[in-house]
Amino acid sequence: MNRTSEHRLQALIFDVDGTLADTEMAHLAAFNHAFAEMGLDWRWDVPLYTRLLSVAGGKERIAAYWQSLGDMPREVNASSLQQTIERLHEIKTAAYEQAVNDGLVQMRAGVLPLLHEAAEAGLTLAIATTTSPVNIAALLRKAMGADWRMHFQVIEDASTAPRKKPHPMVYQQVLSRLVLRPQDGLAVEDSANGLQAACAAGLPTLITPSAFTQGQDFAAALRVVPDLSDVQLAQLRQWHTRHIH
Ligand code: XBP
Ligand code: MG
């Protein structure tokens, strides 16, 4: 086998939030809706949410914010705190799903054409995200139709990979389920957390920064592009081959 085909690009593994679609403004509105529904005077604005996004996972993000307030109720025990966070996140997820169903979230430029081109070329497609499965289904059902799931061989998310990015768990689990060597795949991400997770799993990673992640440290990326609108599969293969060899 010659060296070029030794590590041909065989799979694209996509992050969801900020990568497949610009979702975080809708997530932010859903979090604030949940806080109001539960009678909390919390209100996250864009600058604060941009900082809070360094914590992957909505429940973890709520817990980190609550800790930062320093007013964690003393009288209630840890399990009732967790119950409150769970309830907040349930309300938030329902509000986010409604926003997606109302068409308030758009897929990013170039994403659907690249997914289609890669599938047509026989590449494996997978998802590695720290978001909740409800959110993935709502977004991709809206964007790709009711049979969206058939396009992805493996989906790993908050419900299957509890250790969140920058931990590599979600990517390690995708690679193991695909029985794929990391150098034969390529991850597509929008954040430094995601880049760290994918690189720790050994995956070359293409970065498409989102409005919330502009300016983060992407030095370890295979390449940073503004979005996928000018990225065809041939270009990905070229970058991947150069990186691997
Ligand atoms: C982004 C996240 C998620 C979303 C909110 O996921 O960290 O927590 O911000 O969704 P990724 P949840 O970039 O890995 O797709 O509230 O369901 O966590
Ligand atoms: Mg992301």
Side-chain angles (χ1 to χ4, degrees):
M1 180 191 293
N2 69 44
R3 282 181 57 76
T4 309
S5 60
E6 188 182 327
H7 289 303
R8 273 185 67 77
L9 181 60
Q10 293 173 31
L12 299 181
I13 304 169
F14 287 88
D15 165 53
V16 173
D17 293 300
T19 301
L20 288 183
D22 277 317
T23 61
E24 293 295 354
M25 283 306 288
H27 280 301
L28 174 55
F31 279 111
N32 285 327
H33 168 80
F35 301 150
E37 282 287 295
M38 290 277 281
L40 294 166
D41 64 353
W42 302 349
R43 182 159 182 73
W44 292 350
D45 60 15
V46 170
L48 171 58
Y49 191 62
T50 304
R51 291 194 299 277
L52 289 172
L53 273 172
S54 63
V55 178
K59 293 177 195 168
E60 293 85 347
R61 196 167 302 142
I62 295 169
Y65 173 72
W66 202 345
Q67 293 280 356
S68 74
L69 295 179
D71 69 353
M72 271 295 186
R74 296 269 173 273
E75 64 282 4
V76 295
N77 59 33
S79 72
S80 65
L81 276 180
Q82 193 51 37
Q83 279 165 14
T84 304
I85 291 172
E86 295 284 340
R87 182 65 190 128
L88 279 168
H89 197 252
E90 272 168 25
I91 298 168
K92 176 264 172 184
T93 300
Y96 175 79
E97 185 180 21
Q98 188 56 58
V100 172
N101 292 342
D102 292 346
L104 300 183
V105 177
Q106 303 307 321
M107 296 294 275
R108 287 193 67 180
V111 167
L112 290 175
L114 180 61
L115 286 173
H116 180 72
E117 187 188 8
E120 289 286 298
L123 265 75
T124 294
L125 299 177
I127 286 175
T129 175
T130 55
T131 198
S132 308
V134 169
N135 301 346
I136 307 168
L139 177 73
L140 295 184
R141 190 185 308 118
K142 186 83 179 170
M144 302 174 80
D147 64 349
W148 69 272
R149 196 180 287 273
M150 64 175 281
H151 300 289
F152 298 94
Q153 277 77 352
V154 165
I155 298 172
E156 286 286 331
D157 59 40
S159 68
T160 58
R163 301 288 302 272
K164 302 280 172 48
K165 300 172 185 175
H167 191 286
M169 183 182 213
V170 70
Y171 281 106
Q172 289 165 334
Q173 292 184 179
V174 166
L175 288 166
S176 134
R177 288 178 60 194
L178 289 177
V179 193
L180 182 82
R181 294 177 303 185
Q183 58 270 44
D184 295 339
L186 187 143
V188 187
E189 271 281 355
D190 73 304
S191 69
N193 265 352
L195 174 61
Q196 202 177 327
C199 290
L203 279 158
T205 304
L206 174 68
I207 289 289
T208 55
S210 62
F212 283 95
T213 63
Q214 288 290 352
Q216 289 183 356
D217 176 4
F218 298 129
L222 170 72
R223 184 78 49 142
V224 179
V225 292
D227 60 41
L228 293 175
S229 50
D230 295 329
V231 178
Q232 279 76 40
L233 185 54
Q235 179 73 80
L236 279 186
R237 285 196 192 282
Q238 195 182 47
W239 290 338
H240 179 264
T241 303
R242 261 194 237 142
H243 175 79
I244 294 297
H245 298 110

